[in-house]
Structure formats: structure tokens, C-alpha cells
Amino acid sequence: MNKRQQLIEQAFQLFYQQGIHAVGINQIVRQAKVAKKTLYSHFESKDALIEAVLAYRDERFLVWLDKRMTSVEPGKPALLVMFDALDDWFNNRVPTLANFHGCFFINTCSEYGNPESTIYQLCQRHKLRVRELIMSHVKQLQLNEDVNVLTDRLVLLKEGAIVTAQVQADKAAAKKAKLIAEQLLPDASLV
């Protein structure tokens, strides 16, 4: 692993566990076992490192979720397996995502509340990419109604499960959300 990637991965672990503002550059370089000069040769600022960490987590999360959803038939089975995947994540059965500390992007937005900031916009972009993945499976249902409506419901259900698992420590939140999704999906008018 090169030094840049090592810094990104170590910074992610620290940011995800402790929060971005709680972690200083000195802690990151100690954890990554590199000199401060090495960090600044790869990243011009802490914000640049945060942006790289967001890109890293975005890619890792989307690859994982897409793989889980494409492991079954597209459409309803994939949409339901999304909640099984979330259940695995909430219960620390997905080593590639690290132990569950909520959604890194939601957590980051709570620390960077300015919608004009690049960091906030990268978090929005991630959520849009996840929505696009969900919508690609909703489209497989060949609904007579606007696919945006069902997509929005499933996205809200997914996001609500994540927040419930984190804030209320309800590790069964994804299973509960899946039951609701099962009720939503059969009601869709199929062509």
C-alpha cells in the first residue's frame, strides 16, 4: 500500500470512529506512521484529505452495496437484499466497511453544515449515487407509476434504518425496514 492510500485509510478509521473535528493531523500521522511532511506532500490541507477519504468511502460503500444487490435477481429481490446487506453492516458482519458507527456521510454533514462546501457536496453526491443504484432496481419492476415515488420511499426507508441503528442502537432496524419494504413493493402496479 502506498503512503497516500495508507493516510486515507487511517484517516477514515479515525474520522469514522471519533468524528472529523475531533481528529487532528498529528493523530493521523501517528496512526499512519508517516511524517507530517509526507501527509502534506499528498494533501495540501486537512480538507483535501477529508475529500479523499469521502471518495474512498463512497467507492467502497457503493461497490459493496452494488455487489450485494447484484448477487440476486434485479428488481424486488435486489431491493429486499439491500436491507439484508444493511443488517450485516449494522451488526458488524462487513469487515470491508469497518465496525458500524452510522453513515459516514451523514456524520460528516453534521460536522460540515454549509451546503456550499465541497465536503458537504461530496456527501450529497454519495447519497445521489446510492439513490441511482436503488432506482436502477426500481426500474426493473416496470411500474405503471413514476419510479421516483417508490425510489424516494425506499431511500427514506434505508436512510431511516441507518439513523435508527446508530442513534437508537437498534441493530434490528434493517430487518424492520425490510418488512415495510416488502409491503411497499407488492403494492406497486406492474405492467
Side-chain angles (χ1 to χ4, degrees):
M1 179 186 327
N2 66 39
K3 295 290 184 195
R4 183 179 193 283
Q5 190 63 30
Q6 184 178 341
L7 283 161
I8 290 169
E9 291 184 19
Q10 292 302 313
F12 167 73
Q13 289 296 329
L14 291 168
F15 292 158
Y16 190 45
Q17 292 171 10
Q18 299 175 27
I20 293 172
H21 291 313
V23 174
I25 292 297
N26 290 334
Q27 187 179 2
I28 295 167
V29 296
R30 271 194 314 274
Q31 185 78 20
K33 296 181 174 76
V34 299
K36 195 180 283 191
K37 183 178 177 182
T38 302
L39 183 140
Y40 285 114
S41 72
H42 292 286
F43 306 100
E44 63 186 36
S45 63
K46 184 177 179 183
D47 280 359
L49 174 60
I50 295 164
E51 291 169 17
V53 169
L54 287 166
Y56 163 79
R57 181 59 170 197
D58 174 62
E59 183 65 24
R60 220 171 164 104
F61 186 88
L62 282 166
V63 165
W64 164 76
L65 186 58
D66 183 55
K67 184 177 179 181
R68 287 294 300 269
M69 292 178 78
T70 57
S71 70
V72 297
E73 290 182 39
K76 183 177 179 178
L79 293 165
L80 293 177
V81 86
M82 173 179 67
F83 294 99
D84 296 333
L86 292 174
D87 184 64
D88 285 343
W89 178 37
F90 299 168
N91 289 284
N92 300 323
R93 295 187 296 259
V94 186
T96 59
L97 294 185
N99 284 344
F100 181 74
H101 293 282
C103 172
F104 185 62
F105 300 92
I106 293 171
N107 297 348
T108 300
C109 275
S110 72
E111 292 192 59
Y112 290 83
N114 180 0
E116 302 301 317
S117 77
T118 302
I119 291 170
Y120 192 96
Q121 290 172 2
L122 288 171
C123 294
Q124 285 180 319
R125 181 178 162 268
H126 168 77
K127 294 299 184 180
L128 289 173
R129 290 183 71 200
V130 172
R131 185 182 188 282
E132 289 168 6
L133 175 62
I134 293 169
M135 181 180 272
S136 72
H137 289 282
V138 170
K139 286 179 178 177
Q140 296 292 322
L141 298 172
Q142 301 178 7
L143 300 172
N144 286 326
E145 61 188 70
D146 184 358
V147 297
N148 285 302
V149 172
L150 183 54
T151 300
D152 288 342
R153 289 175 181 165
L154 292 169
V155 168
L156 287 170
L157 198 53
K158 174 197 146 306
E159 294 298 323
I162 293 169
V163 172
T164 301
Q166 180 182 14
V167 176
Q168 296 178 3
D170 183 352
K171 300 302 181 185
K175 289 180 180 183
K176 294 172 185 176
K178 182 179 180 180
L179 293 174
I180 297 168
E182 286 172 340
Q183 294 171 351
L184 288 175
L185 292 171
D187 293 339
S189 305
L190 298 178
V191 174

